[in-house]
């Protein structure tokens, strides 16, 4: 069972050496303004390099904004200019040298944009705090105390689509081998998907077909810029965990079938984030059944995430066919060498740098 977790996995022309992958996790550590705004620096390099040295097969870089207004916080990484590209190339070069596949999650935060770093409270910040007014499908704030977002016009929607396309071109120039579109956790694309946040009455709101129109436009624009030989991922919140009026697991399976036809290669299956104060039955592997449904019912490759912490647990998920790979988040923050430790426990092997051969 353990060896399955450490078997290579190929999508299009890219092969990850194992199925232990790193989930995108914001570091909130970039400069907020000036010429270095959104630019990766030594913290980001050391953070990702450590997990590559630790044997992680594929690393998805934190949500990287396609525009300044698309950042979750003023401290997020960005990929809207060429200065950012140069700094990111340093990271991708090192990851490749360690045998790790470098991926990037491109994102727009929508109505959840312009918030502070979590260790500063995470609340909304306005222009006086280097913030801005967020935009969204509808003028519905995320929560009490959050600003009413600007409702995107049809022209504004197309502008965001073009920003995703431009970000994709820069991701290629920066050396990434996987692009993931962030459609989860209540950010802009997820806001369009869910009727809880999408109250539009035009062609972008109402029916399932209308609510997926903007996400599919982004997918098509990204796929048109991303080389045919490189894989494209899409991250989804499989459910909003709302009792009524939200995005559902059934709709996730339905969307997965559509995404396949539009050139997406794998669904990164998470949940929640659209609405505050919802009840989520958090426990070990609590989101894995949603990935399993995508695989079983849509016949679509899927990665599982969510309180996957133990090697035997991760190995069982992959061996049982519930997911094609596991994405570790907090566990990789705690232990950058988790993949190497897991391989030892499970009787498998991962690439060991020559410098660490004595370990």
């Amino acid at each position: 069972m353990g060896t399955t977790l450490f078997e290579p996995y190929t999508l299009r022309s890219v092969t990850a050496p194992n199925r232990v992958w790193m989930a995108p996790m914001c570091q909130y550590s970039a400069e907020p303004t000036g010429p270095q705004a959104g630019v990766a620096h030594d913290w980001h390099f050391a953070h990702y390099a450590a997990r590559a040295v630790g044997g992680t097969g594929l690393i998805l870089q934190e949500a990287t904004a396609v525009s300044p207004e698309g950042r979750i916080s003023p401290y997020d990484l960005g990929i809207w200019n060429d200065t950012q590209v140069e700094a990111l190339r340093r990271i991708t070069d090192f990851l490749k040298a360690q045998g790790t596949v470098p991926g990037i999650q491109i994102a727009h935060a929508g109505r959840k944009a312009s918030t502070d770093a979590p260790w500063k409270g995470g609340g909304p910040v306005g222009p006086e705090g280097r913030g801005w007014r967020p935009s969204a499908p509808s003028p519905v704030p995320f929560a009490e105390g959050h600003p009413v977002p600007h409702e995107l016009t049809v022209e504004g929607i197309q502008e965001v689509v073009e920003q995703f396309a431009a970000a994709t071109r820069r991701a290629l120039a920066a050396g990434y081998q996987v692009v993931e579109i962030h459609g989860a956790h209540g950010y802009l694309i997820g806001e369009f998907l869910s009727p809880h946040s999408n109250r539009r009455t035009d062609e972008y709101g109402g029916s399932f077909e209308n609510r997926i129109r903007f996400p599919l436009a982004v997918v098509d624009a990204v796929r048109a810029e991303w080389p045919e030989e490189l894989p494209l991922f899409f991250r989804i919140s499989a459910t909003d965990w709302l009792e009524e009026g939200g995005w559902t697991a059934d709709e996730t399976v339905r969307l997965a079938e559509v995404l396949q036809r539009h050139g997406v290669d794998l669904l990164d299956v998470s949940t929640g984030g659209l609405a505050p104060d919802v009840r989520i039955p958090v426990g070990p592997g609590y989101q894995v059944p949603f990935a399993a449904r995508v695989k079983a019912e849509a016949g679509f490759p899927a990665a599982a995430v969510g309180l996957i912490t133990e090697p035997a647990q991760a190995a069982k998920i992959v061996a049982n066919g519930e997911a094609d790979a596991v994405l570790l988040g907090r566990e990789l923050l705690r232990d950058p060498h988790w993949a190497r430790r897991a391989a030892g426990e499970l009787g498998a092997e991962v690439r060991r740098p020559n410098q660490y051969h004595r370990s």
Side-chain angles (χ1 to χ4, degrees):
M1 181 178 291
T3 57
T4 307
L5 184 64
F6 289 95
E7 289 177 355
Y9 186 69
T10 299
L11 288 168
R12 298 191 186 239
S13 69
V14 175
T15 299
N18 59 57
R19 321 293 183 92
V20 179
W21 299 353
M22 182 175 175
M25 291 174 286
C26 289
Q27 297 297 290
Y28 304 103
S29 297
E31 289 295 321
T33 58
Q36 293 299 303
V39 176
H41 52 71
D42 285 352
W43 174 266
H44 303 94
F45 178 85
H47 172 64
Y48 292 112
R51 279 79 195 165
V53 169
T56 307
L58 183 151
I59 290 176
L60 285 171
Q61 181 178 295
E62 62 199 86
T64 305
V66 300
S67 69
E69 298 77 20
R71 291 174 291 176
I72 301 168
S73 85
Y75 309 101
D76 285 9
L77 289 183
I79 192 164
W80 64 80
N81 66 43
D82 293 340
T83 301
Q84 295 160 344
V85 170
E86 290 302 316
L88 294 172
R89 190 179 293 116
R90 178 188 177 208
I91 295 173
T92 62
D93 284 348
F94 186 85
L95 265 57
K96 291 175 183 175
Q98 306 312 307
T100 297
V101 174
I104 183 172
Q105 184 186 72
I106 55 176
H108 191 296
R111 68 178 186 173
K112 293 177 73 176
S114 193
T115 57
D116 217 337
W119 51 86
K120 297 181 179 181
V125 292
E128 72 285 350
R130 298 170 173 170
W132 57 93
R133 185 185 178 190
S135 57
S138 304
V140 181
F142 169 65
E144 185 177 351
H146 285 243
V148 176
H150 167 73
E151 181 175 284
L152 284 168
T153 63
V154 172
E155 293 76 17
I157 290 171
Q158 185 55 44
E159 182 179 351
V160 175
V161 172
E162 292 168 358
Q163 290 168 349
F164 271 93
T168 304
R169 292 192 293 271
R170 290 193 173 97
L172 182 63
Y176 292 96
Q177 293 176 288
V178 173
V179 160
E180 176 172 275
I181 298 168
H182 197 354
H185 301 160
Y187 298 120
L188 185 62
I189 291 175
E191 291 164 17
F192 271 89
L193 290 174
S194 177
H196 180 79
S197 49
N198 184 348
R199 314 286 177 84
R200 299 177 74 99
T201 58
D202 63 3
E203 66 268 33
Y204 291 97
S207 68
F208 172 84
E209 290 75 14
N210 282 358
R211 286 183 282 114
I212 70 171
R213 191 181 305 275
F214 168 67
L216 290 183
V218 171
V219 168
D220 289 344
V222 169
R223 187 73 265 182
E225 298 291 345
W226 195 234
E228 183 69 21
E229 66 271 16
L230 297 180
L232 174 62
F233 293 3
F234 189 98
R235 189 166 224 196
I236 188 80
S237 280
T239 175
D240 293 332
W241 296 109
L242 292 166
E243 292 183 4
E244 58 182 28
W247 180 259
T248 68
D250 289 343
E251 289 177 309
T252 293
V253 173
R254 190 176 173 189
L255 178 61
E257 295 168 348
V258 179
L259 291 174
Q260 280 187 293
R261 300 196 295 269
H262 285 255
V264 174
D265 299 289
L266 179 139
L267 203 62
D268 172 359
V269 184
S270 188
T271 66
L274 184 91
D277 303 322
V278 294
R279 293 186 176 183
I280 301 176
V282 175
Y286 71 104
Q287 296 175 145
V288 174
F290 297 98
R293 277 198 65 183
V294 168
K295 278 186 61 66
E297 298 177 31
F300 195 23
V305 65
L307 283 182
I308 300 170
T309 59
E310 298 301 323
Q313 174 197 19
K316 183 178 179 181
I317 290 167
V318 176
N320 288 352
E322 296 173 274
D324 297 285
V326 293
L327 284 157
L328 303 186
R330 292 175 177 85
E331 193 62 23
L332 273 176
L333 296 183
R334 289 185 282 264
D335 182 2
H337 289 246
W338 190 94
R340 194 174 314 288
R341 177 172 64 83
E345 289 186 20
L346 297 169
E349 292 186 3
V350 293
R351 182 181 182 274
R352 178 180 289 106
N354 291 332
Q355 297 90 334
Y356 288 3
H357 72 277
R358 287 170 291 184
S359 66

